[in-house]
């Protein structure tokens, strides 16, 4: 449900861009990369929100910071970026901090930990896939494709988990949708 609303707001916020640029603005030669990036991001969002249902929000947020650590590895491995010794050391220290939060051997590693770490890896992959896209696509296209592809997927899945939102949740849902959509624009 949350993913459906987030995607719907993303499409709604892309409408002014679509009206200004027309359908010519969505022409792309990189559709397979848009599709792969969207799939990675959609599964990442699912994992993140699942983790939120299984763990304390502080732990989810703390472990989500591993996204940048995974991104360093992906940037070096897949994008061919040069990563210096200090950045590798900082990445190792960061993973050490994640291990302190996870506490393997002292506490049971829960499914929530796996979901949030999967989300972090998938979000890092999403960011790594965005870099090649910006060479041929503009920001409006990138945001539009992600939300336009995710919306029908989440629309098809929503009936399986649908719970009518309480009136008191509507404002929060709108805020989540707007913030989620605009985060990709920024």
């Amino acid at each position: 449900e949350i993913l459906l609303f987030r995607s719907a707001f993303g499409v709604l916020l892309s409408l002014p861009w679509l009206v200004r640029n027309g359908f010519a603005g969505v022409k792309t030669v990189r559709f397979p990369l848009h599709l792969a990036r969207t799939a990675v991001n959609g599964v990442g969002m699912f994992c993140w929100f699942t983790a939120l249902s299984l763990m304390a929000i502080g732990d989810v947020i703390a472990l989500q910071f591993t996204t940048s650590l995974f991104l360093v590895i992906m940037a070096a491995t897949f994008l061919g970026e040069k990563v210096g010794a200090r950045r590798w050391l900082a990445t190792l220290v960061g993973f050490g901090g994640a291990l302190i939060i996870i506490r393997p051997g002292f506490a049971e590693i829960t499914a929530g930990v796996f979901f949030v770490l999967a989300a972090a890896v998938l979000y890092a992959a999403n960011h790594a896939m965005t870099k090649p896209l910006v060479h041929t696509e503009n920001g409006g296209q990138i945001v539009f494709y992600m939300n336009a592809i995710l919306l029908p997927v989440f629309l098809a899945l929503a009936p399986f988990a649908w719970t009518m939102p309480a009136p008191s949740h509507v404002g929060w849902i709108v805020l989540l949708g707007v913030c989620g959509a605009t985060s990709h624009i920024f």
Side-chain angles (χ1 to χ4, degrees):
E1 247 176 285
I2 291 170
L3 301 175
L4 169 65
F5 288 122
R6 183 175 169 161
S7 301
F9 279 100
V11 169
L12 285 173
L13 291 173
S14 291
L15 287 179
W17 173 85
L18 186 60
V19 168
R20 186 175 66 245
N21 292 286
F23 285 106
V26 295
K27 287 184 181 175
T28 181
V29 296
R30 310 289 304 269
F31 187 74
L33 186 54
H34 281 290
L35 192 59
R37 179 182 171 270
T38 298
V40 163
N41 191 55
V43 175
M45 284 192 296
F46 172 81
C47 288
W48 196 81
F49 282 107
T50 300
L52 277 178
S53 72
L54 299 172
M55 297 174 60
I57 192 170
D59 290 341
V60 172
I61 298 295
L63 288 175
Q64 186 64 37
F65 282 117
T66 61
T67 298
S68 58
L69 306 176
F70 289 115
L71 186 54
V72 168
I73 296 167
M74 289 179 190
T77 306
F78 301 114
L79 299 176
E81 292 189 13
K82 186 177 181 195
V83 177
R86 289 191 312 179
R87 187 161 295 158
W88 282 120
L89 179 62
T91 301
L92 286 173
V93 170
F95 278 123
L99 285 175
I100 291 170
I101 295 167
I102 297 170
R103 297 182 311 265
F106 297 104
E108 178 185 341
I109 299 176
T110 65
V113 169
F114 291 109
F115 275 109
V116 74
L117 290 176
V121 169
L122 292 166
Y123 284 156
N126 171 47
H127 295 312
M129 291 174 171
T130 303
K131 185 166 184 179
L133 273 177
V134 300
H135 296 295
T136 59
E137 315 289 296
N138 65 53
Q141 286 173 301
I142 294 169
V143 172
F144 172 78
Y145 272 109
M146 184 189 64
N147 289 302
I149 294 168
L150 286 177
L151 181 59
V153 172
F154 292 142
L155 190 60
L157 294 174
F160 298 104
W162 187 263
T163 303
M164 185 56 79
S168 62
H169 294 159
V170 172
W172 292 110
I173 291 169
V174 170
L175 182 64
L176 176 71
V178 170
C179 290
T182 56
S183 70
H184 288 276
I185 293 167
F186 293 122

